[in-house]
Amino acid sequence: MTEALVQHTLGAYLKALFDTDKATALRIVQEALDNHMTPESVIFDVVVPGMEQMIGGMISDNQITLSQHFLASQIAEEVTDRLLPLFSSAPAIQGTVVIGTSFGDFHGLGKKIVTGCLRARMFQIIDLGINVAPERFIEAALETGAEVIGISSMMVHTATGDRGPKKVRQLLREQGLEQKIRLIVGGAPYRFHENLYREVGANAWADTAASAPAVVAALVKEVRQ
Amino acid sequence: MTTGMDRFAALLTGKRPDRVPIVCNLLDQGAKEMGVSLKEYYSRGDLVAEGQLRMREKYGYDTLLGMFYSALEAEALGCRNIIYADDGPPNIGHLVIGSTGDITKLRLPEDLDDNPRFREMTACIGHLKRESAGRWPVLGVVTASFSLPAMLMGIGPYIDLFLNGDTKLLDHLLTLCSQFCSRQIIALREAGADLIVYANPVASATFITTSKFRELALPWVIRDLEQPGPAGVIFFNGGGRINPILADLKRHTGLGAFYLNPFDDIAEARSTLGPNALIVGAINDIRLIDWSPLEIDREVERLMLTGKQAGGFIFGTLLMPFSIPEPNIRAMMSAAVSYGNYGSEDACANQN
């Protein structure tokens, strides 16, 4: 396997992501494996950089669209799931994240995009789905030893309401869990209001799905210190 | 007294009104005004109409909004569970299309009025039209065919379908959604809506690239408007940026009014659209929740200066969150009236 092959594969993969062409993206992954690229290299040299360059908006002057975000993350998750069992040794898990949409919120797109990004970066994800009660976030984090709870909200009232992140923060405080579990939020309302995450009691928010792994990694590090 | 209708009529005939018309999309706040829960509020068209009339009177903006909530369209197509909140719009709790196999089972109602909630909404529009007596344009709202499936099957599966799914199934689904959209526009006009707000968030540049817009979404905009015609229809961003698709919309659809996103540049939109199209510039209404009156004043001033310079300008909001405090709505309105004033000497002068 040569550096030239990696660069060629990454370039072709990026083009397929930009064109939202899933079939071609998956075919490029398969061709790379057929050309003896290791599963580890496919993930860390093609799929993850592809996803991060795509979602980070580094391959176009135009802003990247949600459908491109969605597809890049979806393919990353699918390929990661398929190739992880083929790794020569089990990868180190970077941390565990319990994720879901806030109570009363039935919009799962943002959560899905972030989940794909985190899984490809070797975080273990406990996906609680949509419309999640605040108590359930705490319960799942305790059951799985998660360092981070991630709450996605599409609507202002589910981001700021009494049964959303604010309640999760209250429960963390009441149960003395604030040093053990960090809270991150994301979703449309936070993009319109950069300080909203503080007002709902979160430790952090990520501007893009691509930046989520770094922000979550920093939170995991804080907890583990 | 100059009315909202006078202001819109002036703009539509290329004249300058006394001040920039103001569209203030207060919706769920009407329940608070009427002292009832959101669930009760949206069960009766007369309550919603009265709520809208009181809010227009209270704040002094220029339109009346004949809308209940977006999920109503999914209800009319078979959604069996609507989740109500105390402090925000009702949400869809049941997807009509649970798997792509359900697409072929989707049926349009014989008569839109078969749905009691739709009937209440058209009754609300009729009520607003009568009470307005020609003073305030009544807005009806429809979801474009290209965006409607997101409410029927969820946005993730819908993106999968339109990007990489079965094209025949997609075409079947969008054909039904387009028929539904066209019929709604006609029904809302018959009920009394003066202007139709055509919401198409999934077609916006926030969701898809401009090339995908041309390939996948634009043909359905044209088809939605074919039967009802584009007159009096305003293309609404629905929360996404639309500047990158304005040139195609202008060239191919016959639409003459465009409701921008707060992140769309107004001057750029005018340059793309040329002198005749109407532009609605929207304030970032999530920030209205906690901006100070001074910050609101400054932002409205900025928007009005840019908008007045662009010409053919209407000041607007997106769908205003329930938690915006009343004093902040008043601060926005006061600034909009003040900075939107063209001065009496210029009123009704030709502006283009």
Side-chain angles (χ1 to χ4, degrees):
Chain A
M1 181 186 61
T2 64
E3 180 60 26
L5 173 62
V6 171
Q7 287 310 316
H8 170 76
T9 305
L10 176 59
Y13 184 74
L14 273 170
K15 184 177 182 317
L17 292 186
F18 188 76
D19 293 340
T20 50
D21 184 345
K22 185 174 179 178
T24 300
L26 292 175
R27 181 175 50 76
I28 289 162
V29 166
Q30 188 55 50
E31 282 172 4
L33 291 166
D34 294 344
N35 284 325
H36 309 295
M37 196 182 276
T38 64
E40 287 90 336
S41 181
V42 167
I43 297 289
F44 294 118
D45 297 332
V46 176
V47 172
V48 168
M51 179 185 69
E52 291 182 350
Q53 287 185 44
M54 179 78 209
I55 297 177
M58 286 182 275
I59 63 166
S60 165
D61 291 338
N62 297 317
Q63 292 190 39
I64 298 301
T65 66
L66 272 173
S67 60
Q68 289 168 314
H69 281 196
F70 174 76
L71 199 80
S73 160
Q74 185 190 52
I75 295 171
E77 190 173 10
E78 280 181 27
V79 173
T80 304
D81 281 348
R82 188 181 140 213
L83 297 189
L84 262 182
L86 306 178
F87 275 27
S88 55
S89 60
I93 298 300
Q94 303 300 306
T96 301
V97 182
V98 165
I99 196 165
T101 72
S102 48
F103 188 71
D105 203 312
F106 293 77
H107 302 85
L109 182 65
K111 173 180 72 67
K112 222 171 162 58
I113 295 172
V114 171
T115 296
C117 292
L118 290 171
R119 284 183 60 77
R121 275 291 183 189
M122 302 300 138
F123 286 90
Q124 185 181 338
I125 305 298
I126 316 298
D127 188 346
L128 301 181
I130 55 175
N131 184 32
V132 181
E135 296 79 7
R136 180 71 193 118
F137 280 110
I138 305 288
E139 201 176 271
L142 290 173
E143 278 168 11
T144 58
E147 294 96 345
V148 177
I149 291 174
I151 306 180
S152 171
S153 308
M154 173 69 182
M155 298 153 91
V156 173
H157 74 282
T158 57
T160 60
D162 294 340
R163 298 281 289 156
K166 280 180 186 167
K167 181 68 178 177
V168 174
R169 167 58 60 202
Q170 184 193 331
L171 293 170
L172 288 172
R173 193 180 305 122
E174 285 171 1
Q175 297 178 35
L177 295 170
E178 289 183 298
Q179 298 309 312
K180 289 183 185 168
I181 301 171
R182 292 288 197 258
L183 178 60
I184 183 170
V185 292
Y190 305 101
R191 296 185 65 82
F192 282 85
H193 188 329
E194 64 272 19
N195 282 319
L196 193 62
Y197 80 96
R198 293 182 203 276
E199 293 175 24
V200 303
N203 298 102
W205 81 291
D207 181 24
T208 65
S211 62
V215 178
V216 170
L219 294 177
V220 170
K221 194 175 168 193
E222 284 174 23
V223 171
R224 289 181 177 174
Q225 270 175 352
Chain B
M1 183 187 72
T2 308
T3 65
M5 195 67 92
D6 296 332
R7 295 185 180 107
F8 274 86
L11 281 186
L12 287 167
T13 52
K15 292 178 179 170
R16 179 177 287 174
D18 62 332
R19 69 159 165 77
V20 170
I22 302 166
V23 180
C24 187
N25 293 319
L26 291 162
L27 204 58
D28 305 328
Q29 291 85 347
K32 194 159 62 178
E33 211 61 49
M34 300 301 292
V36 296
S37 70
L38 280 165
K39 191 168 186 178
E40 185 182 350
Y41 184 62
Y42 287 127
S43 69
R44 286 173 45 193
D46 60 330
L47 276 179
V48 178
E50 189 54 34
Q52 284 294 330
L53 289 164
R54 286 190 191 180
M55 290 192 292
R56 203 223 62 78
E57 186 66 30
K58 183 173 176 175
Y59 298 114
Y61 46 87
D62 288 314
T63 51
L64 290 164
L65 186 54
M67 176 193 179
F68 279 22
Y69 47 86
S70 301
L72 191 151
E73 291 175 81
E75 252 180 315
L77 290 170
C79 170
R80 293 192 301 269
N81 187 19
I82 295 292
I83 312 285
Y84 285 87
D86 297 329
D87 54 358
N91 223 318
I92 290 169
H94 157 247
L95 294 175
V96 176
I97 300 170
S99 69
T100 48
D102 292 338
I103 289 174
T104 52
K105 298 177 199 158
L106 185 68
R107 297 283 178 272
L108 300 186
E110 289 286 318
D111 183 347
L112 293 173
D113 275 343
D114 287 347
N115 183 284
R117 198 77 66 164
F118 190 86
R119 215 163 44 232
E120 288 297 325
M121 187 177 70
T122 50
C124 164
I125 289 173
H127 188 132
L128 291 173
K129 181 76 172 176
R130 283 190 301 278
E131 292 296 321
S132 162
R135 292 170 297 168
W136 319 108
V138 178
L139 307 181
V141 182
V142 298
T143 302
S145 61
F146 191 71
S147 292
L148 185 56
M151 289 198 281
L152 303 178
M153 62 191 297
I155 184 67
Y158 179 47
I159 292 177
D160 266 339
L161 178 65
F162 73 67
L163 287 182
N164 292 295
D166 183 325
T167 51
K168 279 187 182 163
L169 268 185
L170 176 67
D171 191 68
H172 177 74
L173 175 62
L174 291 178
T175 299
L176 289 178
C177 288
S178 185
Q179 288 168 3
F180 182 69
C181 177
S182 302
R183 282 171 57 189
Q184 271 199 102
I185 293 173
I186 292 165
L188 297 186
R189 281 178 178 158
E190 282 173 357
D194 299 295
L195 299 168
I196 300 292
V197 177
Y198 174 84
N200 205 350
V202 184
S204 74
T206 301
F207 268 91
I208 56 175
T209 62
T210 46
S211 64
K212 288 289 176 195
F213 170 77
R214 279 181 211 121
E215 176 196 340
L216 297 172
L218 181 59
W220 293 102
V221 178
I222 294 167
R223 199 143 147 192
D224 290 350
L225 300 176
E226 208 168 60
Q227 204 189 346
V233 177
I234 304 167
F235 188 95
F236 181 62
N237 65 81
R241 291 175 300 108
I242 61 168
N243 268 10
I245 61 173
L246 287 178
D248 284 315
L249 286 170
K250 183 193 168 206
R251 192 172 305 124
H252 298 289
T253 66
L255 285 163
F258 302 89
Y259 207 127
L260 307 185
N261 182 271
F263 297 132
D264 282 316
D265 184 273
I266 293 167
E268 181 187 67
R270 173 56 71 209
S271 157
T272 304
L273 290 167
N276 296 322
L278 299 187
I279 291 174
V280 189
I283 192 167
N284 180 348
D285 47 21
I286 292 182
R287 294 310 312 265
L288 290 176
I289 296 169
D290 64 356
W291 263 338
S292 69
L294 184 62
E295 287 171 312
I296 293 170
D297 188 85
R298 293 271 157 80
E299 179 58 9
V300 174
E301 181 185 24
R302 185 189 70 78
L303 278 169
M304 284 296 192
L305 282 175
T306 318
K308 285 161 85 174
Q309 199 162 10
F313 183 68
I314 297 159
F315 176 89
T317 69
L318 299 180
L319 283 179
M320 297 175 78
F322 193 80
S323 49
I324 298 173
E326 277 191 25
N328 286 10
I329 300 172
R330 289 188 192 281
M332 182 195 78
M333 281 304 305
S334 164
V337 168
S338 166
Y339 295 118
N341 197 341
Y342 283 110
S344 56
E345 289 163 25
D346 290 338
C348 293
N350 278 315
Q351 62 169 2
N352 293 322

